[in-house]
Amino acid sequence: MLDVCLLGTGGMMPLPRRWLSALMCRYNGSNILIDCGEGTQVAIKQKGWTFKPIDVICITHFHADHISGLPGLLLTMGNAERTQPLIMVGPKGLERVVNSLRMIAPELPFEIQFIELTEDKQTIQFEAYRIHAFKTKHNVTCYGYSIEIDRSGKFNADKAKALDIPINKWSVLQKGETVAWEGKIFTPDMVMGAPRKGLKVTYSTDTRPVDSIVEAATGADLFICEGMYGEPDKEEKAKEHKHMTFKEAALIAKAAEPKEMWLTHYSPSLVKPWLYMDTVTEIFPNAKAGKDGMSVDLRFEDEAEVLV
């Protein structure tokens, strides 16, 4: 199960009921945060989640509405007596930018390990999942991210018994490891079925429509996409500032065919985004106007999704 929470949906400036950009995902005891705008700590508390177990923080780009909450969050994580290293992923220059922000949070009891993105597409493999970064098109270097979880095939107990594999070795094969027993070698493919469909969440904001987003979001269980402007007369403004309209986001979703799309990163002038959703759902029906705290528990194919 992959828990997803859209912590903040605001762009440019926080509003009384709308924090700035942030997304948090939890899987198998690991927590991933994408962006950390102002109000992220409050949003995490409102959700009932905690700061200490965040393992990875991904930053899309270095505009204040996506990173201004970081110094306070790091300080809070340090005050929670965290000692394990924190991994941070972001565009080239990440270490310099974060260390500059840390002038107000200089002493931390944990190490920060930086992964700076230098390619148009880059994948970082972790034990239980991988993060795929893809470059988008903003007025500064900006990346989107997909969190991808693979799922192995089913274990065939009948095959294992027929091969006389001891029961206490079954779990080793299920983990993808080879077993040596009484002069015989057993490999996972001997007892495992074909890989099953995994899970994927794709997040992209502060960008013009580009093919890299379509490619990354193709087949996603959830696609979270910028919808800076819902009003039909804001297309030129979106182009000028390298942002997207609701309609442009819908066209990306139509091409990528994710299971569901949520819009986020609204302009402060867009007080009621849901009023403009007809434009979106005419193009891509399974779309929703995201709001702060909007959550879903994504489950594997043979399990049911749970909306929170």
Side-chain angles (χ1 to χ4, degrees):
M1 182 173 67
L2 176 63
D3 300 329
V4 181
C5 181
L6 189 55
L7 296 170
T9 57
M12 298 175 64
M13 60 178 285
L15 298 176
R17 294 176 180 82
R18 187 187 294 167
W19 301 119
L20 291 177
S21 295
L23 175 78
M24 195 164 175
C25 298
R26 307 191 306 178
Y27 178 71
N28 212 19
S30 183
N31 289 15
I32 307 150
L33 180 68
I34 301 179
D35 279 341
C36 188
E38 187 176 342
T40 296
Q41 290 192 75
V42 179
I44 292 173
K45 279 290 187 182
Q46 287 177 333
K47 175 61 180 171
W49 290 358
T50 184
F51 316 102
K52 190 174 179 180
I54 296 174
D55 301 302
V56 183
I57 299 178
C58 299
I59 301 296
T60 56
H61 63 295
F62 302 140
H63 280 163
D65 55 337
H66 293 259
I67 200 169
S68 57
L70 187 61
L73 177 64
L74 293 175
L75 191 61
T76 298
M77 291 168 69
N79 290 337
E81 300 181 349
R82 177 198 179 99
T83 56
Q84 67 268 35
L86 170 69
I87 295 172
M88 290 200 67
V89 182
K92 187 177 180 180
L94 177 69
E95 184 171 1
R96 173 181 54 82
V97 171
V98 172
N99 285 340
S100 297
L101 292 170
R102 281 191 56 201
M103 291 296 291
I104 58 173
E107 295 182 9
L108 297 175
F110 56 87
E111 175 192 3
I112 300 178
Q113 298 173 352
F114 295 97
I115 299 176
E116 297 196 354
L117 303 169
T118 56
E119 306 294 333
D120 289 352
K121 300 174 187 177
Q122 210 161 324
T123 300
I124 303 120
Q125 184 69 53
F126 296 90
E127 186 174 346
Y129 56 87
R130 63 182 171 273
I131 295 175
H132 172 67
F134 53 96
K135 188 176 282 188
T136 58
K137 186 180 181 180
H138 195 33
N139 51 24
V140 298
T141 302
C142 185
Y143 283 85
Y145 295 98
S146 289
I147 299 167
E148 301 174 353
I149 301 167
D150 293 328
R151 194 183 189 199
S152 60
K154 289 185 177 181
F155 181 81
N156 191 320
D158 291 336
K159 282 188 177 181
K161 290 174 183 177
L163 293 167
D164 292 325
I165 302 173
I167 291 178
N168 64 349
K169 304 294 183 183
W170 289 9
S171 62
V172 179
L173 291 164
Q174 284 177 303
K175 292 175 183 176
E177 299 174 17
T178 298
V179 168
W181 176 255
E182 294 186 345
K184 297 179 181 178
I185 301 294
F186 301 102
T187 56
D189 61 285
M190 298 169 72
V191 291
M192 301 296 294
R196 291 170 287 179
K197 185 183 180 304
L199 294 172
K200 180 165 80 167
V201 173
T202 299
Y203 179 91
S204 181
T205 184
D206 289 61
T207 177
R208 293 295 298 147
V210 287
D211 290 342
S212 61
I213 307 174
V214 176
E215 182 181 345
T218 295
D221 295 273
L222 177 61
F223 173 39
I224 300 173
C225 185
E226 171 192 357
M228 187 77 172
Y229 304 109
E231 307 92 326
D233 61 344
K234 293 291 180 72
E235 187 172 341
E236 289 304 314
K237 192 170 185 178
K239 290 178 180 177
E240 179 185 355
H241 297 286
K242 300 293 191 296
H243 284 289
M244 270 198 285
T245 65
F246 278 26
K247 183 178 180 180
E248 289 171 326
L251 290 170
I252 289 176
K254 182 179 180 180
E257 297 184 332
K259 286 186 178 178
E260 185 172 21
M261 178 179 71
W262 295 354
L263 293 176
T264 188
H265 197 271
Y266 306 124
S267 164
S269 65
L270 188 60
V271 180
K272 298 178 179 180
W274 56 88
L275 295 180
Y276 302 93
M277 286 302 293
D278 286 351
T279 303
V280 179
T281 54
E282 284 176 7
I283 298 168
F284 184 76
N286 202 15
K288 296 177 181 176
K291 58 183 180 180
D292 287 18
M294 191 167 174
S295 304
V296 65
D297 296 339
L298 295 175
R299 298 172 183 255
F300 292 112
E301 241 177 12
D302 50 357
E303 301 172 335
E305 292 181 6
V306 178
L307 286 169
V308 182

